[in-house]
Each structure stands twice: as C-alpha cells, then as structure tokens.
Amino acid sequence: MNEHEEGHEERRDEGRDEGTDTERTLASRAGMPTGPVDGTVVHFLVLDADTGAPRRIAVEATPLVIGRVPPAAIVLEGSAVSRRHCLVDRAGDQVRLTDLGSTNGTFVDGLRIAEPTMLADGAQLRIGPHTLRYERRRREEALAAASLASDIARARGYVNALLPPPITDGPVRVAWTFQPCAALGGDAFGYHRDGDWFCAYILDVSGHGVGAAMHSVSVMNVMRQQALPGTDMRDPAAVLGALNDMFDMDRHHGMYFTMWYGALHLPSRRLAYAAGGHHPAVLHAPDSGRVGKLPGRGAGIGTMPGFAYRAAGVELPAGARLHLFSDGAVELAEDVAEPWGMAQVAESLCAPGHWADGPERLYRRVRALSRMRPLDDDFSVLTVQLD
C-alpha cells in the first residue's frame, strides 16, 4: 500500500467519512519556547495552516502526544487521525517521533514509520491530512521567523478588509471565495456598479509573501478610487493599458501581475473584456447548458511598456453566469489524484446548483484533490450572476 492509500485508509473505529472532516486544527502548546536569546538551539514542529500563518509548536522537555481529541497536547481534527496517533519527545539534543499504533499510520518524508524515529532538520511529518515540519533553530532565528509570520498575518487581514462584500440582490449578483495560501500570495479582485454599467476584475501578482500582497493592495486601491487619469473605466483595453504604464515592473521591484477585466452594459447585456496574461473567464448559460471561454491574449501587466491591449465583446444571455478565477483554482501539485485543468474547473463551476454555490464547490473539490494539504497559491473565484 503506497503513501496515498495509507493516508486514506478507512478507519475502523469511526462513524463518519473522511470527506466530511473539518479543516480546523487546535494546538494547545503552540508558541515560542521560554528562555533568553543566547544562541541556544530550540526545536519546533511547524504546522502548515490552510489559511493563516503556520503554527510553531515548541518541543521542550515534556513529551507531546498528537491525536484527534484531548488530552492530546496537539489536537488535529479529522477521521484519519487516531485519538492517540503519535508521540514527539526529546532524546538529548534530538527529537524523536513514535507512532502509537494509529490506524492510518505516521509518515516521515513519505515513509510510514514502524519504530521510534529521530527527526532530521526539515523532516516532513504526515498525520492523516495534516503536514508538519520539524525545525531546529537558534532561538534568535526562531524569534525572527515568528515575527515574519505575524507580519504575514497582518498583511492577510489587510487584504481581506479591502475585498468587496458579496451582492445578494439586484440585476447583477456576486458571490466569491478567497482563501490565501500560508505564504500569502498576490490575488485580488473587485467590482462596482456605475449607473447602467457593471465592472469586475481579478488579478494575480507574481510571487508570494508580504511584497506580493502589498502590490495587489496598491492595484486594488487604484481600482477602487478609479485613479487612472484620462481612462474610461468602461473600456477594458484602456484600463489595462493605463495599469501597465502605471505599474511598470522595472519601477516595482520586478513585480508584475495578470488581470482579467470586464465591463457590462446592463441595458444591452453587452460585455466588453480584455486580459493581460490571465486565465480566460468562463461564461455559462444555464438555460441552454452552453459553456464558453472568454480569453484575452495581452501581456502581463507591467511586463511590456506601451503594450496595446485589445478588447473583445459578447452579448450575455438571460441568466448568464460569469466565473473569474486565479491560478490557485487551476494549477495544483503534480501528484493530484486525477487530471486537472481549465476543463475540470469549468465543469465544477458550471455543475447544477444554486448560482452562488460555484466558488465554494470548486474550493472543496480542489482541497479534496490536494488531500487537504495547504495550497501552494492563493485561491480566488468570483461568480457574477445576471438576471
């Protein structure tokens, strides 16, 4: 039985299916070790979170039981985690991992352990759907890492605060799902109504971390304030061209972004759109069952000064649904259980159901394919429903 099969082996002592697991994780001994900053080596388990900063759990003198329920010191939810799954303890200046007879096994660097195992720095622990990493660090390095994680968490909160609220009534309604990756990426989106016009966009900044997030915030603020001098916000090609000039990567530390932008004239139902390096939007007409793509072939924003973007247009049928999404919805790890790409994304978004369920349905599908591991990139999906 290989690693994937072990991680999904059915539990004999549980009454619920693994597919219904929640993603919440509790760590009762999380935090920094006590003591002065004196070059002492400290030991951590780093618990990668689906969202939010990773949790750093100090491994000190007291052994730590990892399991599904208290009194385990580290509680990981999910039916693939045994009540008392494994034990982490100190053996001199090393850290040792022991499986406690768990049903689904404990894995170190992809191999199921049968005996107590000493952990090398950087070892990857797999417990049910959860991934932890062992680190040995000087105390001052650990403090710096904790400070960086705090900065990332604050940046994530700032990005979330700028995202527009869903629209639940009116001729144009909007639902979305945004899940930042643990490292924090550069996804952002926005929309606004201006009389007979409705405009929407999604963007994805290159790279990860606070820099990428703050670059996306800069673009969002420009779009919110419509601070593109002499630019008609109803002209997608003009909007992308102005952003391309304003955010030249040579003046922004080499950062650029992809973007899809659309402007819908409500009385005529005519949508004009353009894209710079971004995935096509998906257009779904539920009444007829037709699904199409709305691509744009412009350069990434900031990569080619003076690039001339071109807009295309389409008339939207009654009840049309427009789906915009970022790389996190399309580009999964190479070891996913089945083929995944644009066709599968469109199939999931356009499955029968309430119009607002598409983004969350796709997110659940991506998480299942990723075997509940933290995503490598931000996940953003935006669905626009037209009367």
Side-chain angles (χ1 to χ4, degrees), residues 12 20 63 65 82 118 140 157 169 199 212 273 301 346 364:
R12 293 182 291 274
T20 64
V65 172
S82 295
M118 298 298 182
E140 55 268 33
D169 55 24
C199 300
Y273 63 92
I301 310 299
R364 291 196 301 268

Side-chain angles (χ1 to χ4, degrees), residues 324-381:
L324 315 180
F325 44 88
S326 65
D327 282 352
V330 183
E331 299 174 2
L332 305 187
E334 295 181 356
D335 62 346
V336 296
E338 60 188 61
W340 189 257
M342 277 289 300
Q344 289 76 25
V345 169
E347 180 183 9
S348 181
L349 286 171
C350 301
H354 189 266
W355 72 270
D357 292 342
E360 187 63 26
R361 179 172 57 244
L362 177 59
Y363 176 65
R364 291 196 301 268
R365 182 62 178 147
V366 166
R367 294 290 289 122
L369 284 172
S370 301
R371 299 192 301 279
M372 306 304 290
R373 293 176 301 191
L375 299 179
D376 295 330
D377 203 352
D378 287 356
F379 180 97
S380 300
V381 178

